[in-house]
Coordinates of all heavy atoms in Angstrom, one line a residue:
Q1 N -3.8 21.1 -21.0 CA -2.7 20.5 -20.3 C -2.9 20.7 -18.8 O -3.4 21.7 -18.4 CB -1.4 21.2 -20.8 CG -0.2 20.5 -20.3 CD 1.1 21.1 -20.9 OE1 1.0 22.1 -21.6 NE2 2.2 20.5 -20.7
K2 N -2.5 19.8 -18.1 CA -2.7 19.8 -16.6 C -1.4 20.4 -15.9 O -0.4 19.8 -15.8 CB -2.9 18.4 -16.1 CG -4.1 17.7 -16.5 CD -4.3 16.4 -15.9 CE -5.5 15.7 -16.4 NZ -5.6 14.4 -15.9
Y3 N -1.6 21.7 -15.6 CA -0.5 22.4 -15.0 C -0.4 22.1 -13.5 O 0.6 22.2 -12.8 CB -0.5 23.9 -15.2 CG -0.3 24.2 -16.7 CD1 -1.4 24.6 -17.5 CD2 0.9 24.2 -17.2 CE1 -1.2 24.9 -18.8 CE2 1.1 24.5 -18.6 CZ 0.1 24.9 -19.3 OH 0.2 25.1 -20.6
S4 N -1.6 21.9 -12.9 CA -1.6 21.7 -11.4 C -1.2 20.3 -11.0 O -0.9 20.0 -9.8 CB -3.0 21.9 -10.9 OG -3.9 21.0 -11.5
H5 N -1.2 19.3 -11.9 CA -0.9 17.9 -11.6 C -1.7 17.4 -10.4 O -1.2 16.6 -9.6 CB 0.6 17.7 -11.3 CG 1.5 18.1 -12.4 ND1 1.7 17.2 -13.5 CD2 2.2 19.2 -12.7 CE1 2.5 17.8 -14.4 NE2 2.8 19.0 -13.9
M6 N -3.0 17.7 -10.4 CA -3.9 17.2 -9.3 C -4.2 15.7 -9.4 O -4.7 15.2 -8.5 CB -5.2 18.0 -9.3 CG -5.0 19.5 -9.0 SD -4.3 19.8 -7.4 CE -5.6 19.5 -6.3
D7 N -3.8 15.1 -10.5 CA -3.9 13.7 -10.6 C -2.8 12.9 -9.9 O -2.8 11.7 -9.8 CB -3.9 13.2 -12.1 CG -2.7 13.7 -12.9 OD1 -2.1 14.7 -12.5 OD2 -2.4 13.0 -13.9
Q8 N -1.8 13.7 -9.4 CA -0.7 13.1 -8.6 C -0.9 13.2 -7.2 O -1.6 14.2 -6.7 CB 0.6 13.8 -9.0 CG 1.2 13.6 -10.3 CD 2.5 14.3 -10.5 OE1 2.8 15.3 -9.9 NE2 3.4 13.7 -11.3
S9 N -0.4 12.3 -6.4 CA -0.4 12.5 -4.9 C 0.4 13.6 -4.5 O 1.3 14.1 -5.2 CB 0.0 11.2 -4.3 OG 1.4 11.0 -4.4
L10 N 0.2 14.1 -3.3 CA 1.0 15.2 -2.8 C 2.5 14.8 -2.7 O 3.4 15.5 -3.0 CB 0.5 15.6 -1.4 CG 1.2 16.8 -0.7 CD1 1.2 18.0 -1.5 CD2 0.6 17.0 0.7
F11 N 2.7 13.5 -2.3 CA 4.1 13.0 -2.2 C 4.7 13.1 -3.5 O 5.9 13.5 -3.7 CB 4.1 11.6 -1.6 CG 5.4 11.0 -1.5 CD1 6.3 11.4 -0.5 CD2 5.9 10.0 -2.3 CE1 7.6 10.9 -0.3 CE2 7.1 9.5 -2.2 CZ 8.0 9.9 -1.2
S12 N 4.0 12.6 -4.6 CA 4.6 12.6 -5.9 C 4.9 14.1 -6.4 O 6.0 14.3 -7.0 CB 3.6 12.0 -6.9 OG 3.5 10.7 -6.7
R13 N 4.1 15.0 -6.0 CA 4.4 16.4 -6.4 C 5.6 16.9 -5.7 O 6.4 17.6 -6.3 CB 3.2 17.3 -6.1 CG 2.1 17.1 -7.2 CD 0.9 18.0 -6.9 NE -0.1 17.2 -6.3 CZ -1.1 17.7 -5.6 NH1 -1.2 19.0 -5.3 NH2 -2.0 16.9 -5.1
F14 N 5.8 16.6 -4.4 CA 7.0 17.0 -3.7 C 8.2 16.4 -4.3 O 9.2 17.1 -4.5 CB 6.9 16.5 -2.2 CG 6.1 17.4 -1.3 CD1 5.3 16.9 -0.3 CD2 6.0 18.8 -1.5 CE1 4.5 17.7 0.5 CE2 5.3 19.6 -0.7 CZ 4.5 19.1 0.3
I15 N 8.2 15.1 -4.7 CA 9.3 14.5 -5.4 C 9.6 15.2 -6.7 O 10.8 15.5 -7.0 CB 9.0 13.0 -5.6 CG1 8.8 12.2 -4.3 CG2 10.2 12.3 -6.4 CD1 9.9 12.4 -3.3
R16 N 8.6 15.5 -7.5 CA 8.8 16.1 -8.8 C 9.4 17.5 -8.6 O 10.2 18.0 -9.4 CB 7.4 16.3 -9.4 CG 7.5 16.9 -10.8 CD 6.1 16.9 -11.5 NE 5.0 17.3 -10.8 CZ 4.7 18.6 -10.6 NH1 5.4 19.6 -11.2 NH2 3.6 18.9 -9.9
L17 N 9.1 18.2 -7.4 CA 9.7 19.5 -7.2 C 11.1 19.4 -6.5 O 11.7 20.5 -6.2 CB 8.8 20.3 -6.3 CG 7.4 20.6 -6.9 CD1 6.5 21.2 -5.9 CD2 7.6 21.6 -8.1
G18 N 11.6 18.2 -6.3 CA 12.9 18.1 -5.8 C 13.1 18.1 -4.2 O 14.1 18.3 -3.7
T19 N 12.0 17.9 -3.5 CA 12.0 17.9 -2.1 C 12.8 16.7 -1.6 O 12.6 15.6 -2.1 CB 10.6 17.8 -1.5 OG1 9.8 18.8 -2.1 CG2 10.5 17.8 0.0
P20 N 13.7 16.8 -0.6 CA 14.5 15.7 -0.1 C 13.5 14.6 0.5 O 12.5 15.0 1.1 CB 15.3 16.3 1.0 CG 15.4 17.8 0.7 CD 14.1 18.1 0.0
H21 N 13.9 13.4 0.3 CA 13.0 12.3 0.7 C 13.9 11.0 1.0 O 15.0 11.0 0.6 CB 11.9 12.0 -0.3 CG 12.5 11.4 -1.6 ND1 13.1 12.2 -2.5 CD2 12.5 10.2 -2.0 CE1 13.4 11.5 -3.5 NE2 13.1 10.2 -3.3
I22 N 13.3 10.1 1.7 CA 13.9 8.8 1.8 C 13.0 7.7 1.3 O 11.8 7.9 1.3 CB 14.3 8.5 3.3 CG1 13.0 8.5 4.2 CG2 15.3 9.5 3.8 CD1 13.2 8.0 5.6
Q23 N 13.5 6.6 0.9 CA 12.7 5.5 0.4 C 12.4 4.5 1.5 O 13.3 4.1 2.3 CB 13.4 4.7 -0.7 CG 13.2 5.0 -2.1 CD 11.8 5.1 -2.6 OE1 10.8 4.5 -2.1 NE2 11.6 5.8 -3.7
L24 N 11.2 4.0 1.6 CA 10.8 3.0 2.5 C 11.6 1.7 2.2 O 11.6 1.3 1.1 CB 9.3 2.7 2.4 CG 8.7 1.7 3.4 CD1 8.8 2.2 4.8 CD2 7.3 1.4 3.0
N25 N 12.2 1.1 3.3 CA 12.9 -0.2 3.0 C 12.5 -1.3 4.0 O 13.0 -2.4 3.9 CB 14.4 0.0 3.1 CG 14.9 0.4 4.5 OD1 14.1 0.6 5.4 ND2 16.2 0.6 4.6
A26 N 11.5 -1.0 4.9 CA 11.0 -2.0 5.8 C 9.6 -1.6 6.2 O 9.3 -0.5 6.4 CB 11.9 -2.1 7.0
Q27 N 8.7 -2.6 6.2 CA 7.3 -2.4 6.6 C 7.0 -3.2 7.8 O 7.5 -4.3 8.0 CB 6.4 -2.6 5.4 CG 6.3 -4.1 4.9 CD 5.3 -4.8 5.7 OE1 4.3 -4.3 6.2 NE2 5.4 -6.1 5.9
G28 N 6.0 -2.8 8.5 CA 5.6 -3.5 9.7 C 4.1 -3.5 9.9 O 3.7 -3.6 11.1
R29 N 3.3 -3.3 8.9 CA 1.9 -3.2 9.1 C 1.1 -4.3 8.4 O -0.1 -4.4 8.6 CB 1.4 -1.8 8.5 CG 1.9 -0.7 9.3 CD 1.5 0.6 8.7 NE 0.0 0.7 8.9 CZ -0.7 1.7 8.4 NH1 -0.1 2.7 7.8 NH2 -2.0 1.8 8.6
S30 N 1.7 -5.1 7.6 CA 0.9 -6.2 6.9 C 1.7 -7.5 6.8 O 3.0 -7.5 7.0 CB 0.5 -5.7 5.5 OG 1.6 -5.6 4.7
R31 N 1.0 -8.5 6.5 CA 1.7 -9.8 6.3 C 2.7 -9.7 5.2 O 2.4 -9.0 4.2 CB 0.7 -10.9 6.1 CG -0.1 -11.3 7.3 CD -1.0 -12.5 7.1 NE -1.9 -12.4 6.0 CZ -3.1 -11.9 6.0 NH1 -3.5 -11.4 7.2 NH2 -3.9 -11.8 5.0
P32 N 3.8 -10.4 5.2 CA 4.8 -10.3 4.1 C 4.2 -10.6 2.8 O 4.6 -10.0 1.8 CB 5.8 -11.4 4.5 CG 5.7 -11.4 6.0 CD 4.3 -11.2 6.4
S33 N 3.2 -11.5 2.7 CA 2.6 -11.8 1.4 C 1.9 -10.6 0.8 O 1.9 -10.4 -0.4 CB 1.7 -13.0 1.5 OG 0.7 -12.8 2.4
L34 N 1.3 -9.8 1.7 CA 0.6 -8.6 1.2 C 1.6 -7.6 0.8 O 1.4 -6.8 -0.1 CB -0.4 -8.1 2.2 CG -1.6 -8.9 2.5 CD1 -2.4 -8.3 3.7 CD2 -2.5 -8.9 1.3
A35 N 2.7 -7.5 1.6 CA 3.7 -6.4 1.3 C 4.4 -6.7 0.0 O 4.8 -5.7 -0.7 CB 4.7 -6.4 2.4
K36 N 4.4 -7.9 -0.5 CA 5.0 -8.2 -1.8 C 4.3 -7.5 -3.0 O 4.8 -7.3 -4.0 CB 5.0 -9.7 -2.1 CG 6.0 -10.4 -1.2 CD 6.0 -11.9 -1.5 CE 7.0 -12.6 -0.6 NZ 6.9 -14.0 -0.7
I37 N 3.0 -7.1 -2.7 CA 2.3 -6.4 -3.8 C 3.0 -5.1 -4.2 O 3.0 -4.6 -5.3 CB 0.9 -6.0 -3.3 CG1 0.1 -7.3 -3.1 CG2 0.2 -5.0 -4.2 CD1 -1.3 -7.1 -2.5
W38 N 3.8 -4.5 -3.2 CA 4.4 -3.2 -3.4 C 5.9 -3.4 -3.9 O 6.6 -2.4 -4.0 CB 4.4 -2.4 -2.2 CG 3.0 -2.1 -1.8 CD1 2.3 -2.6 -0.7 CD2 2.1 -1.2 -2.4 NE1 1.0 -2.2 -0.7 CE2 0.8 -1.3 -1.7 CE3 2.2 -0.4 -3.5 CZ2 -0.3 -0.6 -2.1 CZ3 1.0 0.3 -3.9 CH2 -0.2 0.2 -3.2
N39 N 6.3 -4.6 -4.2 CA 7.7 -4.7 -4.7 C 8.0 -4.0 -6.0 O 9.1 -3.6 -6.2 CB 8.0 -6.2 -4.9 CG 8.3 -6.9 -3.6 OD1 8.5 -6.3 -2.6 ND2 8.5 -8.2 -3.7
W40 N 7.0 -3.7 -6.8 CA 7.2 -3.0 -8.0 C 7.6 -1.5 -7.7 O 8.4 -0.9 -8.5 CB 6.0 -3.0 -8.9 CG 4.8 -2.2 -8.3 CD1 3.9 -2.8 -7.5 CD2 4.5 -0.8 -8.4 NE1 3.0 -1.8 -7.0 CE2 3.4 -0.6 -7.6 CE3 5.1 0.2 -9.1 CZ2 2.8 0.7 -7.5 CZ3 4.5 1.5 -9.0 CH2 3.4 1.7 -8.2
R41 N 7.2 -1.0 -6.6 CA 7.5 0.4 -6.2 C 8.7 0.5 -5.3 O 9.5 1.4 -5.4 CB 6.2 1.0 -5.6 CG 6.4 2.4 -5.1 CD 6.6 3.3 -6.3 NE 6.7 4.7 -5.9 CZ 7.8 5.3 -5.6 NH1 8.9 4.7 -5.7 NH2 7.8 6.6 -5.3
Y42 N 8.7 -0.4 -4.3 CA 9.8 -0.4 -3.3 C 10.7 -1.6 -3.5 O 10.4 -2.7 -3.0 CB 9.2 -0.4 -1.9 CG 8.3 0.8 -1.6 CD1 7.0 0.7 -1.7 CD2 8.9 2.0 -1.3 CE1 6.1 1.8 -1.4 CE2 8.1 3.1 -1.0 CZ 6.7 3.0 -1.1 OH 5.9 4.1 -0.8
K43 N 11.8 -1.4 -4.3 CA 12.6 -2.6 -4.7 C 13.3 -3.3 -3.6 O 13.4 -4.5 -3.6 CB 13.7 -2.1 -5.7 CG 13.1 -1.4 -6.9 CD 12.3 -2.3 -7.8 CE 11.8 -1.6 -9.1 NZ 10.7 -2.1 -9.7
E44 N 13.6 -2.6 -2.6 CA 14.3 -3.2 -1.4 C 13.4 -3.4 -0.2 O 13.9 -3.4 0.9 CB 15.5 -2.3 -1.1 CG 16.5 -2.0 -2.2 CD 17.2 -3.3 -2.7 OE1 17.5 -4.1 -1.9 OE2 17.4 -3.4 -3.9
L45 N 12.1 -3.5 -0.4 CA 11.2 -3.5 0.8 C 11.4 -4.8 1.5 O 11.3 -5.9 0.9 CB 9.8 -3.4 0.3 CG 8.7 -3.3 1.4 CD1 8.9 -2.1 2.2 CD2 7.3 -3.3 0.8
G46 N 11.7 -4.7 2.8 CA 11.8 -5.9 3.7 C 10.7 -5.8 4.7 O 9.8 -4.9 4.7
D47 N 10.7 -6.8 5.7 CA 9.8 -6.8 6.7 C 10.4 -6.6 8.1 O 11.6 -7.1 8.3 CB 9.1 -8.2 6.8 CG 8.4 -8.5 5.5 OD1 7.5 -7.7 5.1 OD2 8.6 -9.5 4.9
L48 N 9.8 -5.9 9.0 CA 10.3 -5.7 10.3 C 10.1 -7.1 11.0 O 9.2 -7.9 10.7 CB 9.5 -4.6 11.0 CG 9.7 -3.2 10.5 CD1 8.8 -2.2 11.2 CD2 11.2 -2.8 10.6
P49 N 10.9 -7.4 12.0 CA 10.9 -8.7 12.6 C 9.6 -9.1 13.2 O 9.2 -10.3 13.1 CB 12.0 -8.6 13.8 CG 12.9 -7.5 13.3 CD 12.0 -6.5 12.5
H50 N 8.8 -8.2 13.7 CA 7.5 -8.6 14.4 C 6.5 -9.2 13.4 O 5.7 -10.0 13.7 CB 6.9 -7.5 15.2 CG 6.4 -6.4 14.4 ND1 7.1 -5.3 14.0 CD2 5.1 -6.1 13.9 CE1 6.4 -4.4 13.3 NE2 5.2 -4.9 13.2
V51 N 6.5 -8.8 12.1 CA 5.6 -9.3 11.1 C 5.9 -10.8 10.7 O 5.1 -11.5 10.2 CB 5.4 -8.5 9.9 CG1 4.9 -7.1 10.2 CG2 6.7 -8.4 9.1
L52 N 7.1 -11.2 11.1 CA 7.6 -12.6 10.8 C 7.3 -13.5 12.0 O 7.4 -14.7 11.8 CB 9.0 -12.6 10.4 CG 9.4 -11.7 9.2 CD1 10.9 -11.7 9.1 CD2 8.8 -12.3 8.0
T53 N 7.0 -13.0 13.2 CA 6.9 -13.8 14.3 C 5.6 -13.7 15.1 O 5.2 -14.7 15.7 CB 8.1 -13.5 15.3 OG1 8.0 -12.1 15.7 CG2 9.4 -13.8 14.7
K54 N 5.0 -12.6 15.1 CA 3.7 -12.4 15.9 C 2.6 -13.2 15.2 O 2.4 -13.2 14.0 CB 3.3 -10.9 16.0 CG 4.1 -10.2 17.0 CD 3.5 -8.8 17.3 CE 4.1 -8.2 18.5 NZ 3.5 -7.0 18.8
K55 N 1.8 -13.8 16.0 CA 0.7 -14.7 15.5 C -0.3 -14.0 14.7 O -0.8 -14.6 13.7 CB 0.0 -15.5 16.7 CG -0.8 -14.6 17.6 CD -1.5 -15.4 18.6 CE -2.4 -14.5 19.4 NZ -3.3 -15.2 20.2
E56 N -0.6 -12.7 15.0 CA -1.6 -12.0 14.2 C -1.2 -11.8 12.7 O -2.0 -11.5 11.9 CB -2.1 -10.7 14.8 CG -0.9 -9.8 15.2 CD -0.5 -10.0 16.6 OE1 -0.6 -11.0 17.2 OE2 0.1 -9.0 17.2
Y57 N 0.1 -11.9 12.5 CA 0.6 -11.7 11.1 C 0.8 -13.0 10.4 O 1.0 -13.1 9.2 CB 1.9 -10.9 11.1 CG 1.8 -9.5 11.6 CD1 2.1 -9.1 12.9 CD2 1.3 -8.5 10.7 CE1 1.9 -7.8 13.3 CE2 1.2 -7.2 11.1 CZ 1.5 -6.9 12.4 OH 1.3 -5.6 12.7
L58 N 0.8 -14.1 11.2 CA 1.1 -15.4 10.6 C 0.0 -16.2 10.0 O 0.1 -17.1 9.2 CB 1.8 -16.3 11.6 CG 3.2 -15.8 12.1 CD1 3.7 -16.7 13.2 CD2 4.2 -15.7 11.0
K59 N -1.3 -15.8 10.4 CA -2.4 -16.5 9.8 C -3.4 -15.5 9.1 O -3.4 -14.4 9.5 CB -3.1 -17.4 10.8 CG -3.7 -16.7 12.0 CD -4.3 -17.8 12.9 CE -4.9 -17.2 14.1 NZ -5.6 -18.2 14.9
A60 N -4.1 -16.0 8.2 CA -5.0 -15.2 7.4 C -6.2 -14.8 8.2 O -6.5 -15.4 9.3 CB -5.4 -16.0 6.1
N61 N -7.0 -13.9 7.7 CA -8.2 -13.4 8.4 C -9.2 -14.6 8.4 O -9.4 -15.2 7.3 CB -8.8 -12.2 7.6 CG -7.9 -11.1 7.6 OD1 -7.1 -10.8 8.6 ND2 -7.9 -10.3 6.5
S62 N -9.8 -14.8 9.5 CA -10.9 -15.8 9.5 C -12.1 -15.3 8.7 O -12.4 -14.2 8.7 CB -11.3 -16.1 11.0 OG -11.8 -14.9 11.6
G63 N -12.7 -16.3 8.0 CA -13.9 -15.9 7.2 C -13.5 -15.6 5.8 O -14.4 -15.6 5.0
L64 N -12.3 -15.5 5.5 CA -11.9 -15.3 4.1 C -11.4 -16.6 3.5 O -10.8 -17.4 4.2 CB -10.8 -14.2 3.9 CG -11.1 -12.8 4.4 CD1 -9.9 -11.9 4.2 CD2 -12.3 -12.3 3.6
S65 N -11.7 -16.8 2.2 CA -11.4 -18.0 1.6 C -9.9 -18.1 1.3 O -9.3 -19.2 1.2 CB -12.1 -18.2 0.2 OG -13.5 -18.1 0.5
Y66 N -9.2 -17.0 1.1 CA -7.8 -17.0 0.7 C -7.0 -16.1 1.7 O -7.6 -15.4 2.5 CB -7.6 -16.5 -0.7 CG -8.4 -17.3 -1.7 CD1 -9.7 -16.8 -2.1 CD2 -7.9 -18.5 -2.2 CE1 -10.4 -17.6 -3.1 CE2 -8.6 -19.2 -3.1 CZ -9.9 -18.8 -3.5 OH -10.6 -19.5 -4.4
E67 N -5.7 -16.1 1.6 CA -4.9 -15.3 2.5 C -5.3 -13.8 2.4 O -5.3 -13.0 3.3 CB -3.4 -15.5 2.3 CG -2.6 -14.9 3.3 CD -1.1 -15.2 3.1 OE1 -0.8 -16.1 2.3 OE2 -0.3 -14.6 3.8
Y68 N -5.5 -13.4 1.1 CA -6.0 -12.1 0.9 C -6.9 -12.2 -0.4 O -6.7 -13.0 -1.2 CB -4.9 -11.0 0.7 CG -3.9 -11.3 -0.4 CD1 -4.1 -10.9 -1.7 CD2 -2.7 -12.0 -0.1 CE1 -3.1 -11.2 -2.7 CE2 -1.8 -12.3 -1.0 CZ -2.0 -11.9 -2.3 OH -1.1 -12.1 -3.3
Q69 N -7.9 -11.3 -0.4 CA -8.8 -11.3 -1.6 C -9.4 -9.9 -1.7 O -9.5 -9.2 -0.7 CB -9.9 -12.4 -1.5 CG -10.8 -12.2 -0.3 CD -11.7 -13.4 -0.1 OE1 -11.2 -14.6 -0.2 NE2 -12.9 -13.2 0.2
F70 N -9.8 -9.6 -2.9 CA -10.5 -8.3 -3.2 C -12.0 -8.5 -3.0 O -12.5 -9.5 -3.5 CB -10.2 -7.8 -4.6 CG -8.7 -7.5 -4.7 CD1 -7.8 -8.4 -5.3 CD2 -8.2 -6.3 -4.2 CE1 -6.5 -8.1 -5.5 CE2 -6.9 -6.0 -4.3 CZ -6.0 -6.9 -5.0
V71 N -12.7 -7.6 -2.4 CA -14.1 -7.6 -2.2 C -14.7 -6.4 -2.9 O -14.3 -5.3 -2.7 CB -14.4 -7.6 -0.7 CG1 -15.9 -7.6 -0.5 CG2 -13.8 -8.8 0.0
N72 N -15.7 -6.7 -3.8 CA -16.4 -5.6 -4.5 C -17.5 -5.2 -3.7 O -18.4 -5.9 -3.4 CB -16.9 -6.1 -5.9 CG -17.5 -5.0 -6.6 OD1 -17.2 -3.8 -6.5 ND2 -18.5 -5.4 -7.4
V73 N -17.5 -3.9 -3.3 CA -18.6 -3.3 -2.5 C -19.4 -2.4 -3.4 O -18.9 -1.4 -3.9 CB -18.1 -2.5 -1.3 CG1 -19.2 -1.9 -0.5 CG2 -17.2 -3.4 -0.4
E74 N -20.6 -2.8 -3.6 CA -21.5 -2.1 -4.5 C -21.9 -0.7 -3.9 O -21.8 -0.6 -2.6 CB -22.8 -2.9 -4.8 CG -22.5 -4.2 -5.6 CD -22.0 -4.0 -7.0 OE1 -22.2 -2.9 -7.6 OE2 -21.3 -4.9 -7.5
D75 N -22.4 0.2 -4.7 CA -22.9 1.5 -4.2 C -24.1 1.2 -3.2 O -24.8 0.2 -3.4 CB -23.4 2.3 -5.3 CG -22.3 2.9 -6.2 OD1 -21.1 2.7 -5.8 OD2 -22.6 3.4 -7.3
Y76 N -24.2 2.0 -2.2 CA -25.3 1.9 -1.3 C -26.3 3.0 -1.5 O -26.0 4.2 -1.4 CB -24.8 1.9 0.1 CG -25.9 1.7 1.2 CD1 -26.6 0.5 1.4 CD2 -26.2 2.8 1.9 CE1 -27.5 0.4 2.3 CE2 -27.2 2.7 2.9 CZ -27.9 1.5 3.1 OH -28.9 1.4 4.0
N77 N -27.5 2.7 -1.8 CA -28.6 3.7 -2.1 C -28.1 4.8 -3.1 O -28.3 6.0 -2.9 CB -29.0 4.4 -0.8 CG -29.8 3.4 0.1 OD1 -30.4 2.5 -0.3 ND2 -29.8 3.7 1.4
G78 N -27.4 4.3 -4.1 CA -27.0 5.2 -5.1 C -25.8 6.0 -4.8 O -25.4 6.9 -5.5
K79 N -25.1 5.7 -3.7 CA -23.9 6.5 -3.2 C -22.7 5.6 -3.2 O -22.8 4.5 -2.8 CB -24.1 7.2 -1.9 CG -25.3 8.2 -1.9 CD -25.4 8.9 -0.6 CE -26.5 9.9 -0.7 NZ -26.5 10.9 0.3
G80 N -21.6 6.1 -3.6 CA -20.4 5.4 -3.6 C -19.5 5.8 -4.8 O -19.7 6.9 -5.3
C81 N -18.6 5.0 -5.2 CA -17.7 5.4 -6.3 C -18.5 5.6 -7.5 O -18.6 5.2 -8.5 CB -16.6 4.3 -6.4 SG -15.6 4.3 -4.9

């Protein structure tokens, strides 16, 4: 049995122990389409005004085929995940 709960994040351990906390309800670091990925965890997650208006948040990364995509990075010289 795992008594240390090392498979949990530090934040999750604090929550489990009853540490007071607040839930994130607005984000300002990514495009709104990317932030929707976290809707399962943050039910009331909204966007700060600047991610809806600033040009760097309104268009996708140049060079990518889609607005967002996953890129598989292989091990390098036998090192990596």
Side-chain angles (χ1 to χ4, degrees):
Q1 190 172 7
K2 296 181 181 179
Y3 294 105
S4 63
H5 297 283
M6 295 302 282
D7 57 331
Q8 290 182 329
S9 70
L10 180 59
F11 181 74
S12 295
R13 283 183 260 158
F14 281 143
I15 299 303
R16 184 173 48 82
L17 294 171
T19 304
H21 66 284
I22 59 170
Q23 265 308 338
L24 180 68
N25 66 359
Q27 69 85 25
R29 294 181 64 185
S30 67
R31 289 190 301 276
S33 59
L34 287 172
K36 287 180 185 173
I37 293 172
W38 299 106
N39 279 352
W40 65 272
R41 178 66 177 92
Y42 301 98
K43 303 293 184 204
E44 305 295 321
L45 186 63
D47 298 306
L48 294 176
H50 70 270
V51 299
L52 300 172
T53 57
K54 285 191 167 185
K55 68 176 184 167
E56 52 267 26
Y57 294 99
L58 296 178
K59 58 182 184 173
N61 299 326
S62 60
L64 296 181
S65 302
Y66 303 98
E67 188 172 352
Y68 55 90
Q69 63 192 41
F70 295 100
V71 178
N72 183 32
V73 178
E74 299 291 335
D75 292 348
Y76 179 72
N77 289 335
K79 297 186 180 196
C81 298

